[in-house]
Amino acid sequence: MPDKKALPVVEIFDSVQGEGPFIHPAVFLRTALCNLSCKGFNCSLPAPDGSVVYGCDTIRAVSVKFKDSWDYFSDSDSLIKALTAHKRVYLLTPHRKQDLVVTGGEPLLHFNNPVLTETVKHFINDSHRVIIETNASVDKPYIYENEILKLIKDCTFSMSVKLASSGESFDKRVKRELIDYLYENSKDSYLKFVVSKDNFESDIKEISKILSSLKNDIPVYLMPLGKDREELQSNCTFVLEKCIEYGFNYTDRIHIRAFNTKECV
């Protein structure tokens, strides 16, 4: 069994950030474990024990049934080395640096783990933009500690707050205080809602409820539901039109358009 203090990592790869306002080359760090299961998304994956696990499109990063396929980093030096192996030097623009995108699972579960926090600090100090992809529902006490706050101030949070279609209860997936806190204490952070034409009437009512409960006027991106090119294309025009109607920002899923269901490149 891995050390309890080790950081569980599903994968490390370099690609392009395909969602949100920063469509930019990036190194991705996908941590394991999540506080939500989101079985309402109805994705499925066979587990090593022969069972079928249902949930979001990153089930292998969520379910402990896949834990034997994860890597475990017990110190930040080894994790930084693994990430640095994916850094690129651009011949025409040598000053440009890839973003570091920390995703999951749910990376905020590990913000009390020095393996992760020291790694994030290293990339910030090396002038990389660091984007934390979070569901913004992990309301852990350590997130409000002063040392973590210093780290939060130098990160951008892509807050993908889950809607009713996830199958999770409202109180479990929507933490208004945490959403406001992350926005107020970070830079360039934003909200991202995954919507579809089939559920939009209920989605927009819930989005309105969430936004009206927040203290801050946080930038909002709508992203079409799309686990593959076909589903993405079936929703994108409708969602784009709704962004025009409501004044929201639109974000596509460039990685789905380019690579379909391939998970990394």
Side-chain angles (χ1 to χ4, degrees):
M1 288 296 290
D3 189 318
K4 289 183 179 179
K5 296 180 181 178
L7 180 72
V9 172
V10 179
E11 60 183 346
I12 294 170
F13 61 95
D14 67 291
S15 185
V16 64
Q17 169 62 289
E19 305 171 0
F22 304 111
I23 307 300
H24 192 273
V27 177
F28 287 78
L29 168 62
R30 186 182 302 281
T31 61
L33 303 177
C34 189
N35 61 310
L36 303 177
S37 59
C38 296
K39 293 182 179 179
F41 291 148
N42 205 33
C43 295
S44 63
L45 191 67
D49 65 3
S51 64
V52 177
V53 184
Y54 293 88
C56 68
D57 58 359
T58 56
I59 294 172
R60 62 195 176 89
V62 174
S63 174
V64 295
K65 290 190 174 186
F66 296 90
K67 66 182 186 301
D68 290 339
S69 68
W70 302 338
D71 293 318
Y72 297 85
F73 290 85
S74 58
D75 63 87
S76 58
D77 287 344
S78 60
L79 180 55
I80 290 168
K81 183 178 179 180
L83 289 165
T84 300
H86 291 268
K87 289 172 64 173
R88 297 173 183 257
V89 177
Y90 301 108
L91 295 179
L92 298 181
T93 54
H95 61 286
R96 296 288 302 274
K97 294 189 176 185
Q98 295 150 289
D99 294 344
L100 173 65
V101 179
V102 186
T103 187
E106 175 46 59
L108 284 186
L109 287 174
H110 306 291
F111 257 52
N112 63 337
N113 188 329
V115 177
L116 178 60
T117 56
E118 290 172 6
T119 298
V120 169
K121 287 177 185 176
H122 170 85
F123 278 83
I124 289 170
N125 291 337
D126 196 31
S127 301
H128 293 265
R129 177 168 49 211
V130 175
I131 301 172
I132 311 295
E133 295 188 334
T134 176
N135 60 38
S137 69
V138 181
D139 205 0
K140 297 289 187 181
Y142 56 75
I143 295 173
Y144 301 92
E145 293 177 358
N146 190 49
E147 286 303 309
I148 301 301
L149 177 59
K150 291 178 183 178
L151 185 65
I152 287 172
K153 287 183 180 295
D154 289 319
C155 294
T156 294
F157 289 83
S158 174
M159 296 183 282
S160 184
V161 177
K162 301 300 179 277
L163 299 173
S165 57
S166 67
E168 301 284 0
S169 68
F170 185 90
D171 289 341
K172 185 175 182 180
R173 56 188 163 77
V174 180
K175 305 292 184 182
R176 303 176 186 89
E177 180 181 325
L178 179 60
I179 294 168
D180 276 317
Y181 176 80
L182 291 175
Y183 178 73
E184 290 169 356
N185 292 288
S186 63
K187 57 182 183 181
D188 302 323
S189 295
Y190 55 92
L191 287 164
K192 182 178 67 181
F193 296 102
V194 179
V195 298
S196 68
K197 58 185 177 183
D198 293 337
N199 295 318
F200 191 77
E201 286 190 18
S202 60
D203 287 345
I204 195 61
K205 289 179 182 177
E206 191 167 19
I207 291 170
S208 176
K209 179 181 178 181
I210 293 169
L211 297 182
S212 64
S213 71
L214 300 175
K215 293 190 301 181
N216 296 286
D217 183 16
I218 304 176
V220 175
Y221 287 78
L222 297 187
M223 185 170 73
L225 181 68
K227 63 181 181 293
D228 53 34
R229 283 190 192 126
E230 183 179 4
E231 186 176 33
L232 178 64
Q233 185 60 37
S234 71
N235 284 308
C236 71
T237 302
F238 176 87
V239 175
L240 181 58
E241 289 173 346
K242 291 303 177 183
C243 286
I244 295 169
E245 179 180 347
Y246 286 93
F248 293 141
N249 300 301
Y250 175 84
T251 175
D252 208 81
R253 312 183 85 162
I254 300 301
H255 55 297
I256 299 293
R257 294 225 182 256
F259 306 116
N260 201 14
T261 56
K262 186 177 180 181
E263 292 187 339
C264 58
V265 296

